[in-house]
Each structure stands twice: as C-alpha cells, then as structure tokens.
Amino acid sequence: MRFIGDVHGKYTQYQKIIDSCDESIQVGDMGVGFRYSYGPKEGEFYPNPPHYAMIRGKHRFIRGNHDNPAECKKHSQWIADGTIEDDIMFVGGALSIDRDRRIKDYTWWEDEELSINALYSVVDNFTTVQPRVMIAHECPDPIADMLMYGNKFKDGSRTRQAFTAAWEAYKPELWIFGHWHNNLDQVVLGTRFICLNELSYIDIDMNDLSSGTIVPHWNIKM
C-alpha cells in the first residue's frame, strides 16, 4: 500500500505517484474544492484531482484542513471521517494556523475540524474497536511537539486534543499522517508514527506491520 503526503493541488506530481502503484491513500490536503478568490460562491473551482486516474486503480484520500469538506463528500474516492476497514481507521481534518490569512468559503472552511461531538464519537470508536492502524491528517499533541523540536504548539486544535486522548487510551501499531510538512518515522510508546511531507510517499506491506520489519522507502517529490 502506498501512502502519500499533502498534495495542495499539485495534481501532475500526484498523478505520477499513483501511476506507479496499484493502491494508495493520500493523507489529506489534497486541495479539493478551492474557489477562485473573491469570485461568486457558485463560481468555478480550481482543478480537482485526476479522478479517472484515481479510479483506474484504488487511489483514495482523506480530507485535510485545506480541503472543502462539502466537495470532498461528492468525490467517489474520498474516505469518510471515522471509517474503519481492514483494521484501519481513517480520520480527516485539522486546524489551519493560517486561517486568518485565508478567505472563508473560498480557501478556508469553518468545518475544517470535526465537531466536538463527532470527535468524541471518533475517540469512542477508536478505543472500542482498537484498529491496528490510524490514518489521519493530524497527530496527537506529543508527536506534534516532537515535530516542533520540543516546543509546545498551542493553536487550540481540538483534533489534536482528541487524538491525544485516543492515543493515551489505546496505542495502535501504526499512525500515518501529514499536515506538518515534514518527514518523521519514529516509534513512541509502542506506536510507529510516520509523518509524510508534501508529495512524499512511503510503501508499506500492510500484512506485516511490525515496527521492526517495516522498512521505509522515502521518495521526496518537491
């Protein structure tokens, strides 16, 4: 299985990545549903992901904070938040730290994070079902602190707070995420956290999730 980092609308590069594999999951910030700035609300979107290339294989994505939630729901290859399949849980969304510089309903959406009640449900399902793998756009707070070189990142993200509570209650074998524009591969308290940079990807044998035997194969496409 191939896992792909943030795309941010760079669909030419994204298509090259999926053309060389049979199955992939993109971990959010695909760049779905941006409208041209200050155009009509019913106006044209920026180009959307290469749908025909995605459906030729099994190429799917979760949403990030830089995806229009309403438009993601219309895409056949979008994985709904909270989906659990084959011992894997999928949860999109995050908080945009640059939201004050974005345009509401054009390049930023108020429901970029799941609601508090929806996140409660995610945590409950996660701790009840106990999937081996979490695929999300975000990560728990302690992992974000690692990516910030020990600094506490205080943006009020309820997604990260919920993920922290979930991880404290149950530690999956593997947690793959994006959002932080960095590459990380580290085992913390028994969970292997893999952060994917923009347009970088990693191939993982999902039949063997032992942290001692997964060998990352990083490919950075900047």
Side-chain angles (χ1 to χ4, degrees):
M1 171 81 76
R2 178 163 292 174
F3 296 91
I4 306 167
D6 298 17
V7 172
H8 295 129
K10 298 175 181 177
Y11 299 133
T12 299
Q13 297 96 314
Y14 169 71
Q15 184 163 342
K16 290 179 181 177
I17 294 171
I18 66 173
D19 280 347
S20 60
C21 68
D22 296 326
E23 186 174 2
S24 70
I25 302 292
Q26 194 276 329
V27 299
D29 279 7
M30 177 70 86
V32 172
F34 278 70
R35 293 189 188 275
Y36 290 99
S37 297
Y38 300 107
K41 292 287 177 65
E42 66 280 6
E44 293 184 355
F45 292 111
Y46 285 129
N48 274 329
H51 184 257
Y52 291 110
M54 295 172 76
I55 62 175
R56 279 200 299 267
K58 191 177 181 181
H59 303 291
R60 301 183 296 163
F61 71 101
I62 63 173
R63 68 180 185 88
N65 50 301
H66 293 158
D67 293 305
N68 182 331
E71 293 304 312
C72 286
K73 292 176 182 178
K74 300 175 185 178
H75 200 294
S76 67
Q77 304 306 99
W78 173 65
I79 305 172
D81 299 318
T83 295
I84 299 176
E85 59 182 48
D86 299 328
D87 226 6
I88 304 172
M89 188 172 199
F90 301 88
V91 184
L95 186 70
S96 296
I97 61 172
D98 59 350
R99 58 194 179 278
D100 60 333
R101 300 191 298 277
R102 291 180 172 269
I103 304 168
K104 184 176 178 291
D105 297 327
Y106 290 87
T107 59
W108 174 76
W109 300 273
E110 284 185 322
D111 54 348
E112 62 180 3
E113 290 191 282
L114 289 173
S115 69
I116 292 174
N117 286 339
L119 285 168
Y120 279 142
S121 179
V122 163
V123 173
D124 285 345
N125 288 340
F126 179 77
T127 55
T128 299
V129 176
Q130 297 190 350
R132 296 178 69 196
V133 181
M134 171 69 99
I135 307 299
H137 189 59
E138 252 289 16
C139 63
D141 270 318
I143 309 306
D145 294 343
M146 288 174 52
L147 290 162
M148 291 296 293
Y149 305 102
N151 296 318
K152 298 290 184 181
F153 197 76
K154 298 179 180 179
D155 59 359
S157 168
R158 61 176 177 259
T159 303
R160 223 168 39 250
Q161 293 172 18
F163 285 171
T164 301
W167 183 52
E168 287 175 347
Y170 165 69
K171 294 174 173 55
E173 293 180 39
L174 183 64
W175 190 306
I176 302 177
F177 62 105
H179 188 56
W180 287 89
H181 295 200
N182 206 340
N183 282 325
L184 173 77
D185 179 12
Q186 188 161 335
V187 177
V188 182
L189 298 178
T191 298
R192 186 169 194 172
F193 286 94
I194 295 177
C195 181
L196 293 166
N197 203 344
E198 182 187 68
L199 290 171
S200 92
Y201 60 91
I202 184 169
D203 296 324
I204 294 178
D205 180 356
M206 298 305 287
N207 293 316
D208 187 358
L209 297 181
S210 168
S211 61
T213 58
I214 297 175
V215 179
H217 179 62
W218 297 113
N219 292 271
I220 311 301
K221 306 287 186 182
M222 298 302 291

